[in-house]
């Protein structure tokens, strides 16, 4: 934090008995210190100059408000009702200081409502407050499974999101570290994109802590063999960890109904705007069994009757086992960067209700199927694994003679963001892109995309 007020630096040095800032950092080896000055731009001397500088830089960005976007792959363009922004912007939530019960103006109850509503969607009983991202949630879930089973290997689909997989590997730690967890990929069935159950069965053993898969998966496929995956994992003594998009749970079976032990997923589809740089939140959930509850690393909000009859209180359960309660001896390190989005999620889920989630899911599926049908008619384009999809699907452009990068450049010139280029990712899918369609896309939007593709490919 800046210490620009006159006398602050001198007062701090006097308090600790140091004569200079150099004395405070004298334990740092000299060859670790920078010897040349930083090449910084001139200092901005007023708030007016700062605002002008920031606005001019931000104007260089192209937004999904000004362009038609079909990007997804971890952050999706969903409608955020105005009331969500109104409530999360209230001062008692937006400026609340974590850890201070004196500043709890309904915060704990709002968090409890988020956990309860999401638990009902998942058909699970325990939901932790969100961690920084979906990838972080998966990493924590895998470490939970390792603590529960005492094993140190996890199985993941080979067709995984590279960003999430990178975060998973970070959480599972390098081979040289004591807490290392080996990450082994499971092959995909090339005809469906789903997990190859034969390869899974072959790689399961008494050293596997967990099997992880997503439903819907990263590339949009729906894992119809989810219950069988859970059965195979259970027979080997491994935990089943499922990653799920909560927006799909109005039309897809809840993971708690097909054998999931621990469930993770993104918070962002639940009323959170798209953000650059992350921080969109990831949740972790499980059954209400002590072996799971004791393995959580973050904050669990619970409800209890108070001494006053008819009155209920909301507070933390098992707070000692996280890094706030036990520092380096906690289950895992945790942070508090996304708890505001739990309140956004609570508002969003309360607005939709069960019927609203069903309507949302049906709308997304119908529009995604409409898009896939029209795109399949574009000369040279082919839908990979067309039989099942929720809101994302893979389009192959090998027969067009153009790369996805060239196609996306041409689309941008027409004010359209094409699908994510997955040509260099695992799976050997050639020149392919992952397209995303949600409730914000109209039939006219989809026709505009297909007509423009026909134009740029002609």
């Amino acid at each position: 934090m800046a210490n620009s007020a006159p006398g602050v630096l001198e007062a701090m040095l006097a308090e600790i008995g140091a004569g200079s800032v150099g004395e405070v950092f004298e334990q740092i080896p000299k060859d670790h210190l920078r010897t040349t000055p930083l090449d910084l731009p001139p200092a901005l001397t007023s708030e007016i100059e700062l605002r002008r500088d920031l606005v001019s830089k931000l104007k260089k960005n192209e937004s999904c408000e000004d362009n038609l976007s079909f990007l997804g792959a971890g952050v999706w363009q969903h409608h955020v009702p105005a009331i969500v922004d109104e409530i999360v912007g209230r001062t008692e939530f937006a400026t609340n200081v974590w850890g201070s019960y004196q500043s709890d103006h309904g915060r704990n109850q709002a968090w409890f409502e988020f956990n309860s509503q999401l638990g009902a969607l998942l058909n699970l009983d325990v939901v932790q407050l969100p961690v920084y991202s979906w990838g972080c949630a998966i990493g924590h879930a895998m470490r939970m499974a390792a603590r529960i089973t005492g094993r140190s290997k996890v199985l993941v689909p080979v067709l995984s999101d590279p960003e999430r997989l990178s975060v998973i590997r970070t959480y599972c730690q390098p081979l040289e570290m004591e807490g290392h967890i080996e990450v082994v990929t499971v092959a995909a069935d090339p005809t469906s994109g789903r997990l190859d159950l034969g390869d899974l069965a072959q790689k399961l053993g008494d050293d596997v802590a967990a099997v992880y898969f997503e439903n819907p998966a990263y590339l949009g496929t729906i894992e119809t063999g989810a219950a069988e995956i859970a059965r195979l994992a259970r027979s080997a003594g491994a935990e089943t960890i499922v990653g799920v998009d909560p927006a799909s749970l109005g039309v897809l079976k809840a993971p708690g109904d097909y054998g999931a032990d621990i469930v993770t997923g993104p918070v962002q589809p639940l009323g959170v705007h798209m953000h650059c740089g992350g921080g969109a939140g990831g949740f972790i959930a499980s059954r209400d069994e002590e072996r799971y509850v004791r393995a959580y690393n973050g904050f669990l909000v619970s409800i209890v009757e108070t001494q006053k009859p008819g009155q209920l209180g909301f507070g933390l359960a098992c707070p000692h086992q996280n890094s706030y309660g036990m520092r380096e001896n906690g289950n895992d390190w945790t942070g508090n960067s996304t708890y505001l989005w739990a309140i956004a999620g609570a508002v969003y889920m309360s607005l939709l209700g069960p019927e609203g989630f069903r309507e949302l899911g049906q709308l997304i599926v119908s529009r995604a199927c409409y898009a896939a049908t029209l795109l399949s008619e574009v000369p040279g384009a082919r839908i990979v694994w067309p039989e099942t999809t929720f809101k994302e699907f893979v389009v192959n452009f090998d027969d067009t003679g153009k790369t996805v990068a060239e196609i996306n450049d041409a689309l941008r010139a027409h004010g359209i963001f094409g699908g994510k280029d997955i040509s260099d990712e695992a799976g050997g899918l050639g020149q392919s892109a992952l397209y995303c369609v949600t409730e914000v896309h109209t039939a006219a939007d989809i026709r505009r995309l297909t007509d423009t593709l026909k134009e740029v490919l002609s």
Side-chain angles (χ1 to χ4, degrees), residues 243-291:
V244 63
D245 181 345
S248 72
L249 295 177
V251 291
L252 295 182
K253 183 179 288 188
D257 291 337
Y258 53 74
D261 298 309
I262 306 172
V263 177
T264 71
V267 176
Q268 190 263 325
L270 300 174
V272 179
H273 294 280
M274 296 186 293
H275 291 279
C276 178
F283 65 80
I284 311 171
S286 71
R287 297 190 298 277
D288 189 9
E289 298 176 12
E290 185 169 356
R291 68 190 186 119

Side-chain angles (χ1 to χ4, degrees), residues 178-199:
E178 184 180 353
H180 170 69
I181 299 172
E182 184 181 1
V183 179
V184 177
T185 58
V186 178
D189 180 345
T191 63
S192 66
R194 303 186 188 104
L195 215 59
D196 184 326
L197 298 188
D199 191 48

Side-chain angles (χ1 to χ4, degrees), residues 138 278 347:
I138 302 166
V347 178

Side-chain angles (χ1 to χ4, degrees), residues 20 45 61 195 206 216 227 309 322 369 375 382 393 418:
S20 67
T45 59
N61 291 328
L195 215 59
D206 58 10
N322 59 50
C369 288
L375 286 172
R382 175 177 59 88
F393 53 90

Side-chain angles (χ1 to χ4, degrees), residues 330-386:
N331 284 340
D332 266 328
W333 196 260
T334 189
N336 62 351
S337 60
T338 62
Y339 300 151
L340 185 62
W341 301 147
I343 297 175
V347 178
Y348 182 86
M349 287 186 283
S350 67
L351 287 171
L352 264 67
E355 188 60 34
F357 270 95
R358 188 175 301 110
E359 291 177 4
L360 173 67
Q362 291 171 344
L363 181 60
I364 291 174
V365 168
S366 65
R367 292 190 177 175
C369 288
Y370 178 62
T373 299
L374 289 192
L375 286 172
S376 67
E377 298 171 358
V378 174
R382 175 177 59 88
I383 307 301
V384 182
W385 311 314

